[in-house]
Amino acid sequence: QVRMVASGGGSVQAGGSLTLSCDTSGSINGIPGVGWYRQVPGKEREWTVDAYRNRTTHYADSVSGRFAIAIYADRNLLLLQMNDMRPEDTVVYYCNVVPSTPRTSWGPGTQVTVSS
């Protein structure tokens, strides 16, 4: 499996923007779908946004209209542009293939903190 590691987290004020990056250990060209997940400590990791090779994208209701996924397959790079951020966006973000399975390997994630 291609290893995907998220980075770029940090602190931002409510209403602000942040862009996360996802570096992969190999080509993502052959991967049907990639995306972002997020996890609140003590809760299960949840799907947030995905993009497929047929260029379709899907967003969770909680981020629709505020977040945007971008894929640069030639650089094996995945981005998540987050705008109009809210305190409830304070979570750890992960990038990985979609859908994930119990055998999916996860990187450390990147922490985002939004202050009101």
Side-chain angles (χ1 to χ4, degrees):
Q1 179 187 341
V2 173
R3 182 169 173 82
M4 303 175 73
V5 179
S7 64
S11 298
V12 64
Q13 296 226 326
S17 299
L18 198 63
T19 301
L20 303 182
S21 298
C22 178
D23 291 316
T24 67
S25 63
S27 174
I28 61 174
N29 280 317
I31 301 175
V34 293
W36 291 88
Y37 302 77
R38 55 189 201 174
Q39 185 174 26
V40 174
K43 295 190 177 181
E44 290 192 3
R45 189 179 293 116
E46 62 180 18
W47 163 85
T48 302
V49 57
D50 60 39
Y52 290 87
R53 290 180 66 186
N54 62 4
R55 299 180 183 255
T56 60
T57 58
H58 308 90
Y59 294 86
D61 289 344
S62 57
V63 305
S64 182
R66 300 188 298 121
F67 289 14
I69 187 172
I71 300 174
Y72 298 90
D74 58 334
R75 288 186 277 166
N76 297 321
L77 181 64
L78 187 67
L79 300 179
L80 181 66
Q81 175 66 46
M82 304 184 292
N83 300 315
D84 188 25
M85 298 189 71
R86 304 167 181 171
E88 53 263 40
D89 296 325
T90 297
V91 293
V92 178
Y93 289 78
Y94 302 84
C95 53
N96 218 316
V97 299
V98 289
S100 65
T101 73
R103 304 174 95 178
T104 298
S105 176
W106 294 90
T110 188
Q111 173 72 49
V112 171
T113 302
V114 184
S115 57
S116 57

